Amino acid sequence: MQNSEKILVINSGSSSLKLTLYSIGSKQRLATGFVERIGTDAANMIYSRNGETKIEKTVEAKNHAIALDLVTQYLIDPEIGVIKSLDEINAIGHRVLHGGEIFKTATLIDTDVITQLRYLVPLGPLHMPANIGGVEACKKIFPDAQNVAVFDTAFHQSMPAYASRYAIPNEYYEKYGIRKFGFHGTSHHFVTLAASEFMGRAPEELKLVTCHLGNGSSLAAVKYGKVYDTTMGLTPLDGVVMGTRSGNIDPAVVLTLVRQGMTADEIDNMLNKQSGLFGVGGIDSGDMRDIVSNAAAGVATAKLALDMWAHRIVFYIGGYSSLIGGADAIVFTGGIGENSWQAREKVLSRLESIGCIMDEKANSTRRGPCYVSTPDSPVAVIIMPTDEELMIAKQTSEVVSAYRASIRKEEAERDFVI
Ligand code: ADP
């Protein structure tokens, strides 16, 4: 793939669509477009060029194809656009929630792959139809471009069965595919590579615990470049305490609530949208900034939420470190992991027993990429900003380059035979 080549990255949610155009050689983000409230007649659209907002307005976007069409027109606008023609875009990377057990790496999308993605809809009933819709919309607007699916689950496919299976009867795995998949794979993968580069070592020789801490949060034990275990499960509800999600709970809590008369949808809503920092903090916010400031001001429920959040993360970092035979580094990323020194301090102040010696000043003042452990700390602690979209662009570029090389090889072999 040529260095000047443009890669479009699409993140298509149930009612939103985010688009980012990269110049792959310079890793430069040329433009972004975001449309939310798709399906209503008052969708909100933002278009930015080189990080500067150029257009923000209410639009009528009945579906994802219309939303995509609207934003792409700005990409070629003579005044505020960044390319002359949509033909300049030959490769499109799609963020896809679930690859099930079928997809272990990023994959070129053809009709068979679309069929397989449809088969996976039950594993992600909210996200998968939107992800497929994004691919179909691109096929209409960019009929000659190659589409590549980059899966949130793929990086975690290296987990051994004893980490990924639940100890329930085998038939539930065999019949319904119920097992741990893990999510945020693109981010865990990105920071694994970036932290290794930062440490001047190859990922294949490092043992890391990567902590993606945002509204949605997950940790991964990454041994020699491959995921060994991760905190999210069949769905992104499992694991640590999140902005509005409970993380792991005794499964019998659900049964108890069913017996109290709650429906599956009500429990789903409570665990996904009303729980976590929001549900415990008692301040009508699941935003870590509000939790930290209220905890500091003495609000007991906010302090409890923060303590629960840190407790669970310390538990997993210690456990994962032990599972991979001792970590070389703990890597923090995501909105909280990168920005909230108070939240990080809560965790790091309890990790000396596994060899993490926090540099308090560095932790409270530095911004990533950086070390926040002392130079003599046996285990390094690193803040590494994530960039999931850049990772999708890079993987798309690799898949399309490999595809083009295989076509060239086939053509050369055919010419030779003739
Ligand atoms: P999402 O999972 O929605 O992508 P993000 O990674 O954007 O979430 O993280 C959102 C979280 O990051 C919020 O809890 C927010 O409080 C926290 N956060 C973002 N910026 C800062 C900041 N400058 N200081 C402290 N916390 C921050």
Side-chain angles (χ1 to χ4, degrees):
M1 187 160 272
Q2 285 174 356
N3 272 359
S4 58
E5 194 142 14
K6 315 286 187 309
I7 306 261
L8 190 63
V9 174
I10 302 281
N11 187 348
S12 177
S14 52
S15 64
S16 68
L17 184 124
K18 187 173 176 201
L19 162 166
T20 312
L21 185 65
Y22 278 95
S23 170
I24 198 65
S26 60
K27 298 180 190 168
Q28 199 195 346
R29 211 177 258 240
L30 301 174
T32 57
F34 181 61
V35 186
E36 58 185 344
R37 295 204 301 269
I38 295 174
T40 69
D41 48 14
N44 189 38
M45 192 202 77
I46 300 173
Y47 170 81
S48 312
R49 187 178 68 182
N50 297 328
E52 196 188 318
T53 301
K54 294 286 178 191
I55 301 277
E56 182 164 9
K57 64 178 189 179
T58 303
V59 293
E60 206 177 307
K62 287 210 179 69
N63 55 45
H64 287 74
I66 295 173
L68 182 65
D69 196 31
L70 281 168
V71 181
T72 48
Q73 291 314 312
Y74 288 109
L75 293 177
I76 50 171
D77 185 277
E79 296 280 309
I80 56 170
V82 285
I83 48 177
K84 290 205 172 68
S85 151
L86 293 183
D87 293 343
E88 288 179 45
I89 298 170
N90 299 312
I92 305 170
H94 296 264
R95 181 178 189 174
V96 178
L97 176 82
H98 225 300
E101 288 188 330
I102 304 174
F103 299 106
K104 298 186 184 345
T105 54
T107 303
L108 198 70
I109 304 175
D110 58 17
T111 37
D112 285 349
V113 171
I114 295 267
T115 307
Q116 287 166 319
L117 294 180
R118 292 216 172 91
Y119 167 80
L120 292 170
V121 166
L123 290 175
L126 286 181
H127 293 85
M128 293 301 283
N131 298 161
I132 298 167
V135 175
E136 280 165 345
C138 283
K139 280 183 176 291
K140 284 199 191 109
I141 296 175
F142 304 94
D144 298 323
Q146 303 293 342
N147 289 277
V148 173
V150 181
F151 300 93
D152 270 9
T153 50
F155 189 50
H156 301 299
Q157 277 294 299
S158 50
M159 275 186 288
Y162 53 80
S164 67
R165 288 283 299 279
Y166 297 124
I168 59 176
N170 293 332
E171 64 187 276
Y172 295 93
Y173 168 64
E174 284 150 13
K175 252 198 213 161
Y176 305 113
I178 290 183
R179 50 158 283 182
K180 176 191 280 195
F181 285 100
F183 297 86
H184 291 143
T186 308
S187 176
H188 288 290
H189 196 177
F190 181 89
V191 298
T192 294
L193 300 182
S196 305
E197 195 181 337
F198 185 72
M199 294 172 82
R201 313 247 320 254
E204 294 75 21
E205 59 182 51
L206 281 173
K207 293 180 279 182
L208 305 173
V209 178
T210 52
C211 312
H212 177 109
L213 308 175
N215 282 322
S217 300
S218 66
L219 276 69
V222 187
K223 189 175 183 181
Y224 307 138
K226 291 196 161 51
V227 173
Y228 186 70
D229 202 352
T230 189
T231 55
M232 284 179 168
L234 174 72
T235 74
L237 180 56
D238 202 4
V240 295
V241 174
M242 303 178 224
T244 62
R245 285 175 241 167
S246 63
N248 56 13
I249 54 168
D250 178 350
V253 170
V254 175
L255 307 180
T256 304
L257 296 175
V258 167
R259 292 187 186 117
Q260 294 288 336
M262 280 179 80
T263 64
D265 284 347
E266 285 167 350
I267 299 173
D268 188 328
N269 182 55
M270 182 273 283
L271 293 176
N272 274 295
K273 306 220 167 103
Q274 312 292 328
S275 297
L277 297 175
F278 177 84
V280 178
I283 53 165
D284 213 21
S285 169
D287 190 299
M288 185 52 96
R289 285 166 283 207
D290 300 332
I291 295 289
V292 164
S293 59
N294 279 274
V299 177
T301 43
K303 188 173 175 319
L304 174 65
L306 185 57
D307 286 342
M308 286 170 74
W309 180 90
H311 179 90
R312 207 74 74 82
I313 292 169
V314 170
F315 169 84
Y316 276 114
I317 293 177
Y320 280 0
S321 177
S322 167
L323 281 180
I324 57 178
D328 296 299
I330 313 296
V331 184
F332 284 87
T333 195
I336 299 173
E338 290 169 34
N339 299 304
S340 178
W341 67 267
Q342 298 96 329
R344 268 196 320 265
E345 189 177 272
K346 271 267 174 205
V347 172
L348 290 174
S349 60
R350 294 170 66 187
L351 290 182
E352 282 207 10
S353 59
I354 63 154
C356 294
I357 319 292
M358 169 176 47
D359 178 335
E360 275 183 51
K361 183 152 180 262
N363 182 57
S364 59
T365 53
R366 282 196 201 154
R367 296 194 63 77
C370 64
Y371 286 103
V372 292
S373 47
T374 59
D376 58 351
S377 176
V379 177
V381 183
I382 295 170
I383 303 174
M384 181 52 65
T386 194
D387 193 338
E388 288 161 285
E389 269 121 15
L390 178 59
M391 189 70 190
I392 294 172
K394 278 185 182 168
Q395 294 199 335
T396 301
S397 165
E398 283 163 19
V399 169
V400 170
S401 295
Y403 170 72
R404 287 181 190 158
S406 75
I407 296 280
R408 277 197 301 275
K409 190 163 168 257
E410 257 176 43
E411 283 172 355
E413 281 167 0
R414 210 180 312 133
D415 291 348
F416 186 70
V417 170
I418 289 165

